[in-house]
Amino acid sequence: MDFYNHLINFFPKEIVERIINQEGEHHRGLLINPNKINEKEILNSNLPLLKHPNVEHGYICQSNEKLYTNNYLYELGCYYVQDPAAMLVASILPIDNKDIILDMCAAPGGKTIQLAFRNNNGLIISNDASYDRAKILAYNIAKLGIDNAIVTNDNYLTKENIDELKSAFSSVVIDAPCSGSSMFYKDEKMMADWTYKKVLKCAKIQEKLLERGYFLLQNGGFLVYSTCSFSYEENEAIIISFLKKHHMKLIDLSYIKNSYSHPSLKEAIYLYPFLYDGDGQFICLMQKLDSTIDNTILMKKTISLIDKLSLEKILTSVKLSKRHNFEYKGYYCSLPFYINLKPFNVLRPGLVLGWLKSEFVPSYHLARYLDSTNSLALDDENYAKYIKGEEIHLTMPLEKGYYLLSYKNLNVAFCHYDGQKIKNLYPKSERQ
């Protein structure tokens, strides 16, 4: 069975033909970092943008993606570029601003970043089962200066201590791995390699992820399920089967303009490229309604974490002393409030401040979190050199120690002066 005949079994011919012909726009989306920059500054930066119809701080790019990613505002964490359809997934989740949210399949991080902005007094457990993808996720969190996300590398299909986390999360986001039919336009080989067997294989994984999500969700909590597949078996069929086994309330998303809902599941939506700008997305939102007692394990303190630091002066200077500050595997870290990290395989335990050698070594993450007050301003030449990893020379007299560098009032990273030269501490993976 080819892709066309697969789709025609469930969807109107007009829709199937428009999918096959890859009609529609595939612009990128831009999510502004409100902690870094005012939206007016972005709009006055000569980047062609249209306001996203459904996403706060969201815009739709009107030119080639490189125009936005080759900009210093992007490099300095003022915005994140992602698919405008995928941006809607995190936008529709109800949040009370103090939630503990699990983003189960989070890399490269767009949904986590958006959730972190919306849930700024809460926490995001941002997870990916792939170690390499989780590392990318951790870097993106640091780049944008996110202070309320914990990056983990757990496989929730095989996680051994998952029973400890039963009913522990306010909300769960599952952007499930799928057959990826909305991505066919990027590579003709993807459609040629498509098989119905792959769809069914993905559906089995998705079914298990949904079961895990339900297990982890508090009573009254919300579960968002999404894919970038157009296959009924990975979307409506999965949800209909899931609802038969669990007491969940569907939240109607059909109010989203230019969306399509299949008659079998009218509350869920497709964002087709020929109706809604972007690559394409299926989204379903549900609320858990049963007698589950919320789990408090995430709030139970363990002796492995150290609350008292010998860094009070530093914490006070960066206005972090009223948060939960702790040591984790040699790193000094900060979160809005205490959370038990023991049940997780942690890669980035919140805002990483730095570590102690003979003196305190501040991190790249801390540089991106802070404002540019008391930083050393780089001119165009030194900024260009610094992000390439080259040595820079500053005219002002310096004492030995670490200094925060900024460009146009936006932090770049720290540097270290040893009395003779300035050591470049810009992340090697990002040097241009």
Side-chain angles (χ1 to χ4, degrees):
M1 179 167 48
D2 63 17
F3 186 56
Y4 176 88
N5 287 308
H6 163 63
L7 292 182
I8 207 70
N9 287 326
F10 300 102
F11 300 102
K13 183 177 180 180
E14 178 189 2
I15 286 179
V16 174
E17 289 181 349
R18 298 185 78 176
I19 291 174
I20 295 294
N21 293 331
Q22 298 179 7
E23 294 182 22
E25 300 291 341
H26 295 279
H27 292 131
R28 301 302 285 162
L30 184 151
L31 181 68
I32 293 175
N33 184 346
N35 301 324
K36 283 280 182 186
I37 196 167
N38 187 289
E39 290 195 28
K40 290 182 180 179
E41 293 182 61
I42 296 288
L43 297 177
N44 292 333
S45 66
N46 297 320
L47 291 173
L49 296 166
L50 285 179
K51 185 72 183 74
H52 195 294
N54 303 109
V55 177
E56 185 180 16
H57 309 305
Y59 290 83
I60 298 175
C61 302
Q62 298 298 295
S63 185
N64 185 280
E65 183 175 351
K66 289 185 178 180
L67 178 67
Y68 305 88
T69 56
N70 290 341
N71 189 296
Y72 80 95
L73 293 171
Y74 173 77
E75 176 56 44
L76 298 182
C78 293
Y79 56 80
Y80 183 81
V81 175
Q82 65 183 127
D83 173 51
M87 291 169 74
L88 192 62
V89 176
S91 181
I92 53 91
L93 181 68
I95 291 176
D96 75 2
N97 205 26
K98 291 185 180 180
D99 287 341
I100 300 177
I101 301 171
L102 173 63
D103 189 355
M104 193 182 290
C105 312
K111 296 174 181 65
T112 283
I113 290 166
Q114 192 177 353
L115 290 168
F117 295 157
R118 296 187 60 219
N119 189 37
N120 57 0
N121 289 321
L123 286 173
I124 316 297
I125 306 298
S126 183
N127 178 75
D128 204 272
S130 163
Y131 177 72
D132 289 338
R133 285 173 58 82
K135 286 196 298 183
I136 295 171
L137 175 59
Y139 177 75
N140 284 331
I141 294 299
K143 180 178 180 178
L144 275 78
I146 304 292
D147 69 337
N148 60 338
I150 297 164
V151 179
T152 60
N153 177 217
D154 284 306
N155 186 336
Y156 279 91
L157 297 180
T158 59
K159 189 170 173 58
E160 293 181 358
N161 59 341
I162 194 169
D163 288 346
E164 297 180 35
L165 294 171
K166 178 177 172 61
S167 307
F169 296 98
S170 310
S171 294
V172 176
V173 178
I174 304 175
D175 184 32
C178 64
S179 59
S181 45
S182 75
M183 301 290 128
F184 285 173
Y185 78 97
K186 291 185 176 182
D187 187 350
E188 292 181 0
K189 293 181 180 178
M190 290 184 68
M191 182 178 288
D193 291 341
W194 180 93
T195 65
Y196 185 58
K197 183 179 179 180
K198 183 178 180 180
V199 169
L200 296 181
K201 181 180 178 180
C202 289
K204 289 181 180 179
I205 295 172
Q206 293 153 358
E207 184 179 10
K208 291 178 181 178
L209 288 173
L210 269 173
E211 290 295 331
R212 291 297 195 184
Y214 180 85
F215 181 85
L216 298 166
L217 188 62
Q218 295 176 359
N219 183 34
F222 293 90
L223 193 158
V224 182
Y225 175 81
S226 63
T227 73
C228 55
S229 169
F230 296 141
S231 295
Y232 183 90
E233 290 88 343
E234 297 180 75
N235 299 323
E236 290 90 351
I238 289 286
I239 299 299
I240 291 169
S241 174
F242 176 71
L243 291 172
K244 289 178 179 178
K245 294 179 283 185
H246 302 293
H247 192 191
M248 299 286 285
K249 174 185 176 182
L250 279 168
I251 307 299
D252 190 4
L253 300 178
S254 64
Y255 66 89
I256 301 294
K257 291 183 178 180
N258 300 319
S259 64
Y260 170 81
S261 297
H262 192 274
S264 67
L265 197 67
K266 295 180 180 179
E267 294 85 353
I269 57 172
Y270 284 96
L271 302 178
Y272 291 124
F274 49 84
L275 295 175
Y276 195 101
D277 205 344
D279 293 343
Q281 200 83 20
F282 171 83
I283 310 174
C284 181
L285 176 63
M286 297 168 279
Q287 185 177 22
K288 186 174 183 177
L289 301 175
D290 67 9
S291 57
T292 302
I293 299 175
D294 294 348
N295 192 341
T296 60
I297 188 173
L298 295 183
M299 307 311 295
K300 289 182 178 178
K301 294 206 172 186
T302 65
I303 59 173
S304 61
L305 298 179
I306 302 171
D307 288 324
K308 293 183 179 180
L309 300 178
S310 58
L311 297 172
E312 287 303 320
K313 185 177 180 180
I314 293 173
L315 292 170
T316 301
S317 68
V318 296
K319 300 178 181 178
L320 290 168
S321 57
K322 294 183 179 180
R323 288 163 53 101
H324 170 59
N325 302 301
F326 57 101
E327 183 182 358
Y328 187 83
K329 297 183 179 179
Y331 293 91
Y332 291 98
C333 310
S334 181
L335 288 169
F337 52 81
Y338 173 86
I339 186 170
N340 181 2
L341 297 178
K342 189 177 179 180
F344 306 103
N345 181 26
V346 177
L347 290 190
R348 182 169 293 274
L351 171 58
V352 177
L353 307 176
W355 54 95
L356 280 178
K357 288 187 177 179
S358 57
E359 60 183 325
F360 177 70
V361 181
S363 72
Y364 172 70
H365 197 170
L366 178 61
R368 290 306 179 92
Y369 166 78
L370 297 174
D371 62 35
S372 60
T373 305
N374 300 321
S375 66
L376 302 182
L378 298 176
D379 58 20
D380 291 349
E381 181 181 358
N382 275 320
Y383 171 69
K385 286 183 176 180
Y386 202 77
I387 63 173
K388 291 178 182 177
E390 298 174 4
E391 186 178 344
I392 62 171
H393 301 278
L394 302 176
T395 57
M396 70 282 288
L398 299 175
E399 296 180 357
K400 291 182 180 180
Y402 291 90
Y403 292 88
L404 180 59
L405 301 177
S406 64
Y407 178 66
K408 296 187 177 181
N409 295 319
L410 296 166
N411 291 343
V412 182
F414 283 98
C415 69
H416 183 261
Y417 181 63
D418 63 7
Q420 294 182 331
K421 64 179 182 179
I422 297 171
K423 183 177 181 181
N424 193 316
L425 300 179
Y426 199 67
K428 291 182 180 180
S429 61
E430 290 301 301
R431 294 179 181 180
Q432 299 179 0

